[in-house]
Amino acid sequence: MVIIGAGECGGRAALTLRDLGFDGPVTLVGDEPHLPYERPPLSKEAMTSEAPLIKAIASDELLGERSIRHIHSVRAVAIDRAAHLVRLSDGSSLAYDKLLLATGSVPRKLPMPGLGGRCVYLRTFNDALAIRAHLKPENRVAIIGGGFIGLELAASARKLGATVAVLEAQPRILMRGVPAEIAEVIHKAHEAEGAKVLTGQGITAIADDGTRVRITLADGQEIVADFAVIGIGAVPVTALAAEAGLAIDNGIAVDGNLRSADPDVFAAGDCCSFPLAVYGGRRVRLEAWRNAQEQGALAAKNMLGANEAHAAVPWFWSDQYGLTLQIAGLSDEGRSTVRRDLDDGAFILFHLAEDGRLVAASGIGPGNAVARDIRLAEMLIAKRAMPAPEALGSQSVKLKSLLAA
Ligand SMILES: Cc1cc2nc3c(=O)[nH]c(=O)nc-3n(C[C@H](O)[C@H](O)[C@H](O)COP(=O)(O)OP(=O)(O)OC[C@H]3O[C@@H](n4cnc5c(N)ncnc54)[C@H](O)[C@@H]3O)c2cc1C
């Protein structure tokens, strides 16, 4: 069993192979110099904690105990599917019976001239270390892109006292997948914490002279910063698969069992697109921590011949200041929305399809305020339930009772 990509998904897949009793060779190949580690803290605790924090998914000892060979700092550069061989950047090759591609995604590049060493991206622990060094009260940071990573980083930067400007070209932050009502709560939280959030303004020029970055917006306004972090989305890492002749469709295209057209090659996590059973087989690619874990585990099972289809409901969270946002399902499948108010200003929006089916739930509130109800909503979505909108909207009706019904 060979796994390319030693991230959330690859790491989980390797451990699951052992959990399931597989006792043949398992090799995990990663191009980063670290043990498999969690990425979500990189924009959150890893930025603000005193010591730089790398949260390993598996320690060296654990990998040793489970006889998982971890080859780090080495890239897989080619797959010879006919020979069942993976060629590595150090010149060596690995033979496989089953291969899992868990190559993840990388930040989308801002296609503009003028970017220099003070314009950076955040994906890896090393990126996080470099950004952390700049997050000081005397520094001004421009965050290009009002998506999750940019906004979480903005919150961390404010916590450390830096001056923050978030620049979003769209009319509002979090345009993709987050309802306007929730985005507004987050926007206000940033402003209340002293971050400047400028929306609806494209960037017309960037000049990075090595000491500071000057960003010109469409209305002529100039933002001067000591450094800029670009967070305008991510793209799946597919070149290796494409060069091996595998189909690419917004990610490495796999079936519901996470298998490519080659029965011995699987793909999972951020790098793959797959048919999502709960939405009638709609092909999606998810960039979410829990999905990477679930798919890593499922791919391992299927590499061992289980033939099991991915059936999970997508789930995502984001932490900014004291607020936690959680989304279950795909809100763009909804045609109408019902609001349920909870305690402490928290609320959940339930998204219903035309036929009344619950297809998603998005919630925001302090700490864990929405966690329980989002979990119940997730179960309702999985059951393809059609709860009465009045019941969803009423705090006096327990969601658990709808589940039982
Ligand atoms: C800063 C940040 C914050 C996040 N916060 C959240 C959050 O709050 N909630 C949430 O749900 N999700 C969050 N995510 C998303 C989540 O971390 C990802 O969905 C998850 O890491 C995907 O796991 P993966 O294993 O598919 O890919 P990755 O974790 O990207 O791992 C892929 C690995 O493969 C390596 N690789 C690629 N190509 C090759 C090759 N040819 N040879 C060898 N190695 C290769 C890559 O370098 C990488 O190490 C966050 C992501 C980031 C970057």
Side-chain angles (χ1 to χ4, degrees):
M1 301 288 168
V2 172
I3 301 166
I4 302 177
E8 189 72 55
C9 180
R12 177 55 45 203
L15 292 170
T16 306
L17 285 168
R18 291 296 182 228
D19 291 343
L20 295 174
F22 177 72
D23 61 4
V26 174
T27 307
L28 184 58
V29 184
D31 57 359
E32 293 189 63
H34 311 289
L35 288 163
Y37 63 90
E38 306 280 8
R39 274 173 224 283
L42 300 183
S43 45
K44 312 176 183 77
E45 310 89 272
M47 280 294 157
T48 54
S49 64
E50 248 164 61
L53 192 85
I54 189 159
K55 199 168 158 201
I57 293 163
S59 64
D60 256 332
E61 294 72 44
L62 181 64
L63 292 176
E65 257 168 43
R66 320 282 318 257
S67 300
I68 294 167
R69 181 177 172 213
H70 175 215
I71 303 178
H72 64 82
S73 314
V74 170
R75 247 188 118 60
V77 291
I79 304 166
D80 182 340
R81 290 198 287 126
H84 279 60
L85 276 182
V86 178
R87 301 198 194 288
L88 304 183
S89 55
D90 64 1
S92 64
S93 297
L94 287 171
Y96 68 85
D97 290 313
K98 301 282 179 210
L99 177 67
L100 173 62
L101 302 174
T103 47
S105 57
V106 288
R108 185 184 298 283
K109 298 281 185 235
L110 183 66
M112 282 193 88
L115 305 182
R118 287 186 170 257
C119 298
V120 298
Y121 297 86
L122 173 57
R123 180 75 195 174
T124 65
F125 181 68
N126 290 359
D127 295 339
L129 275 188
I131 292 171
R132 228 180 107 101
H134 288 291
L135 295 184
K136 299 177 187 146
E138 63 272 25
N139 276 347
R140 296 157 296 177
V141 46
I143 298 198
I144 299 176
F148 287 115
I149 289 181
L151 291 167
E152 287 180 358
L153 191 60
S156 297
R158 281 303 302 138
K159 200 166 170 189
L160 296 170
T163 303
V164 174
V166 178
L167 313 175
E168 171 54 64
Q170 298 289 328
R172 66 165 173 90
I173 57 167
L174 298 170
M175 276 294 275
R176 210 165 47 105
V178 178
E181 237 170 303
I182 290 185
E184 197 186 324
V185 173
I186 295 175
H187 188 133
K188 285 188 176 148
H190 278 274
E191 287 185 336
E193 297 284 346
K196 201 178 196 177
V197 183
L198 297 168
T199 54
Q201 289 287 336
I203 293 170
T204 54
I206 297 186
D208 175 349
D209 66 8
T211 54
R212 59 183 59 85
V213 186
R214 292 178 187 282
I215 302 169
T216 311
L217 301 182
D219 67 356
Q221 201 178 155
E222 191 181 63
I223 306 290
V224 182
D226 296 287
F227 76 107
V229 183
I230 302 164
I232 55 167
V235 288
V237 177
T238 57
L240 190 64
E243 280 156 24
L246 297 171
I248 308 298
D249 179 0
N250 178 32
I252 304 166
V254 289
D255 64 15
N257 295 359
L258 308 178
R259 195 191 296 259
S260 73
D262 180 331
D264 295 329
V265 182
F266 295 74
D270 278 20
C271 70
C272 81
S273 73
F274 65 100
L276 194 51
V278 242
Y279 300 100
R282 170 179 165 187
R283 181 164 286 278
V284 295
R285 188 175 69 78
L286 301 175
E287 288 166 12
W289 173 84
R290 198 175 81 183
N291 176 66
Q293 286 202 338
E294 287 167 348
Q295 290 199 334
L298 180 64
K301 245 179 162 177
N302 288 338
M303 287 163 89
L304 298 176
N307 254 334
E308 200 175 292
H310 178 96
V313 173
W315 177 86
F316 180 86
W317 96 98
S318 173
D319 295 327
Q320 293 164 45
Y321 308 108
L323 291 172
T324 295
L325 157 80
Q326 289 200 19
I327 301 178
L330 301 179
S331 59
D332 67 352
E333 290 273 330
R335 294 293 168 267
S336 61
T337 303
V338 177
R339 177 174 168 139
R340 182 185 185 94
D341 285 301
L342 307 175
D343 297 337
D344 302 323
F347 66 92
I348 293 187
L349 299 176
F350 293 101
H351 308 272
L352 301 167
E354 223 151 67
D355 61 0
R357 200 182 123 200
L358 181 66
V359 286
S362 325
I364 183 119
N368 262 341
V370 301
R372 199 171 150 273
D373 281 356
I374 290 285
R375 175 78 195 123
L376 290 165
E378 198 186 317
M379 290 156 88
L380 286 166
I381 297 166
K383 271 184 82 174
R384 295 170 164 76
M386 293 182 170
E390 314 76 62
L392 286 174
S394 161
Q395 225 184 322
S396 58
V397 178
K398 297 247 176 289
L399 289 185
K400 214 169 173 179
S401 69
L402 301 181
L403 199 60

